[in-house]
Amino acid sequence: MTSEPSVAGAGSAPSGKPKKREHWASPLGAILAAAGSAIGLGNIWRFPYLAGENGGGAFVLIYLGLVFTIGLSVLVAELAIGRLAQANAVTAFHRLGKPRWAVIGWLGVASALIILSFYSIVAGWTVAYAGKMAAGAFTAEGTQAADVFNAFVAQPLTPLLFGAGFMTVTAVVIWRGVSRGIERLSLVLMPLLLLLLVALMVRALTLPGALDGVAFLFAPDFGAVDFDTINAALGQAFFSLSLGLGAMLTYGSYMNSAHNVGRSAGAIVALDTGIAISAGLVVLPAVFAFGLEPGAGPGLVFVTLPEIFAQMPLGQVFGTLFFVLLAFAALTSTVALMEPVCAFLIGARGMRRHTAAVLTGMVAFVLGIPSSWSLGMWSGVTLFDMTIFDIADYVTAKLMLPLGGLLIAVFTGWVLGGRIEASLAPQGGGGVLVAGWRLVVRFLAPVAIAWILVSGLLGG
Ligand code: TRP
């Protein structure tokens, strides 16, 4: 780690030492991989249930506002830092700034492990649900989807087995290298998922009573907004765009100067937001049409969708396909959560890729066991009224990711300054956009995130 190549050339291949760093096969491949990271359970599972819990319209509007200002800017920052440093997150901050900035990378490694721990459990549910749909578990007269869900997640062993299986597949993908396979997989599966989502939207929106769900999602009631709503929206913006822990930074480190960071970021944000809103337009109209409870929590999508499929021609087929595609969307995200940890173990600790993948997978799996059990036999173990699963989600999405984003914004705006701007607009173009971005990373993002974090903590 001593005689590193100069980083001045914004991702140009290091000339002196022939230490090769893997790169994306093409700019489109890079966008697809980053979009694959962003699009996942965050859009289809987490966004609809958070919108439901937080009163709908106002939450959605605040979310959109945060995504297109702070979210987009921090995404550009992460990709650009990675591309400039050509290194994992810990090494990147160390190399571009003073050693103490590496704390952002450490915080990120911890966040990635915790998120991966409960995310892989939920990903396991999607695989199990693909099986349940195929077996026709929801077609029998009088089956209550909510009972099926609660009984499934409360089991001590089965969800863990699915979670372990999912973690194993993730580790195998990491083992073989991210750019091989995952790029191509995303190319086929993401358009398919989008298509199916549109079909589901048509079915959901034509259910009697569905328009109440549309009104819920888009008619804001700002009277009900408190800091918790804003903190939830901020956390979801970071979670959904894979920001704040160095995941996008790591993917940016596999880019070179041929990749346009700004344009890639715009495409990723547009795709990610489009999918989240579409998922909201499937789930909430159905919630209202079936007289379910919008604030039902993490089970919402697993309860609502089987009810929609039951009312669709070929519902069993579409249902199976949907959960299979959702599992793949989750896989491109678990890969993106595991990669920053492995890139660190490989780049800064000299570990071999397969050892890093196995180690990270095992640690994250063990960390996830209490989260899974907290939906069953450990449901009574709570702190501030939150179960272990809730705490893992809260601490990462609402605290660690925004804190990471704040530090990344400050680092980019105040420490890197002109260096990073030169890498964003090598020909000196894009003046207005770069100037706007500079204002956000220097002022808006740090101040707004600090304000939301402090108020959220003080307000309880
Ligand atoms: N963004 C993914 C989703 O919405 C989850 C995810 C992948 C993630 N990598 C991340 C979240 C990094 C935070 C940070 O499902």
Side-chain angles (χ1 to χ4, degrees):
M1 286 292 102
T2 41
S3 61
E4 288 301 334
S6 145
V7 292
S12 58
S15 44
K17 265 200 305 184
K19 200 157 110 206
K20 265 189 271 143
R21 187 172 187 79
E22 201 187 354
H23 282 95
W24 304 112
S26 70
L28 180 65
I31 295 179
L32 285 174
S37 158
I39 298 165
L41 298 170
N43 310 60
I44 290 165
W45 161 70
R46 202 169 185 274
F47 176 77
Y49 95 71
L50 281 185
E53 275 183 342
N54 287 285
F59 169 85
V60 174
L61 261 175
I62 296 168
Y63 170 74
L64 291 176
L66 290 170
V67 160
F68 285 100
T69 52
I70 297 176
L72 181 60
S73 303
V74 173
L75 177 55
V76 169
E78 278 206 33
L79 292 174
I81 294 173
R83 193 182 58 166
L84 189 62
Q86 294 288 298
N88 69 82
V90 176
T91 309
F93 288 110
H94 190 137
R95 195 182 278 178
L96 296 177
K98 294 218 175 70
R100 62 166 175 267
W101 286 102
V103 71
I104 307 178
W106 289 108
L107 183 72
V109 168
S111 311
L113 281 172
I114 302 174
I115 296 180
L116 184 58
S117 77
F118 68 83
Y119 198 98
S120 58
I121 297 289
V122 181
W125 300 349
T126 67
V127 176
Y129 261 62
K132 281 185 192 294
M133 292 288 338
F138 299 97
T139 43
E141 201 58 45
T143 319
Q144 291 292 315
D147 298 339
V148 174
F149 176 77
N150 291 326
F152 175 73
V153 299
Q155 287 169 276
L157 265 183
T158 318
L160 286 185
L161 287 179
F162 279 99
F166 208 92
M167 195 73 88
T168 307
V169 176
T170 307
V172 169
V173 173
I174 293 284
W175 184 326
R176 302 178 140 219
V178 183
S179 79
R180 237 189 302 159
I182 212 79
E183 269 184 75
R184 240 171 273 156
L185 204 65
S186 311
L187 181 67
V188 183
L189 293 174
M190 284 209 291
L192 246 163
L193 180 70
L194 195 60
L195 220 69
L196 198 59
L197 214 51
V198 172
L200 282 176
M201 212 190 311
V202 172
R203 172 67 277 203
L205 288 173
T206 49
L207 290 166
L211 291 185
D212 290 342
V214 179
F216 176 85
L217 207 53
F218 293 119
D221 169 14
F222 286 106
V225 170
D226 55 15
F227 267 108
D228 210 46
T229 316
I230 303 175
N231 195 350
L234 180 72
Q236 175 60 12
F238 276 91
F239 190 94
S240 192
L241 292 172
S242 302
L243 297 177
L245 60 74
M248 288 299 188
L249 188 157
T250 306
Y251 275 16
S253 78
Y254 306 133
M255 293 179 170
N256 56 39
S257 46
H259 295 97
N260 184 324
V261 161
R263 200 175 302 157
S264 308
I268 295 160
V269 169
L271 280 170
D272 187 67
T273 308
I275 301 249
I277 297 289
S278 308
L281 279 173
V282 172
V283 174
L284 286 152
V287 164
F288 281 80
F290 297 133
L292 304 169
E293 182 52 53
L300 196 64
V301 80
F302 292 93
V303 172
T304 329
L305 285 176
E307 304 261 11
I308 305 180
F309 292 122
Q311 312 240 346
M312 259 173 106
L314 293 178
Q316 203 172 336
V317 177
F318 282 122
T320 310
L321 186 60
F322 178 82
F323 281 107
V324 168
L325 289 174
L326 186 54
F328 277 108
L331 179 63
T332 51
S333 297
T334 50
V335 166
L337 282 162
M338 193 181 274
E339 180 63 17
V341 183
C342 292
F344 160 69
L345 292 174
I346 297 163
R349 288 286 176 274
M351 208 175 267
R352 277 192 273 164
R353 186 163 265 278
H354 62 262
T355 319
V358 172
L359 181 69
T360 309
M362 288 198 327
V363 170
F365 173 72
V366 171
L367 279 178
I369 296 173
S371 287
S372 184
W373 285 350
S374 79
L375 299 163
M377 59 194 190
W378 284 5
S379 61
V381 184
T382 58
L383 188 70
F384 301 119
D385 249 3
M386 293 188 285
T387 63
I388 299 170
F389 187 101
D390 296 337
I391 292 169
D393 179 273
Y394 176 92
V395 168
T396 48
K398 286 189 174 170
L399 300 178
M400 292 169 84
L401 298 184
L403 181 62
L406 185 155
L407 293 172
I408 289 168
V410 170
F411 179 79
T412 314
W414 297 96
V415 178
L416 289 180
R419 255 200 298 170
I420 199 99
E421 283 165 25
S423 88
L424 281 178
Q427 278 84 38
V432 182
L433 286 178
V434 174
W437 173 81
R438 181 196 302 137
L439 285 179
V440 176
V441 291
R442 287 193 145 199
F443 303 105
L444 181 67
V447 171
I449 296 171
W451 177 61
I452 295 168
L453 280 178
V454 171
S455 312
L457 286 177
L458 295 183

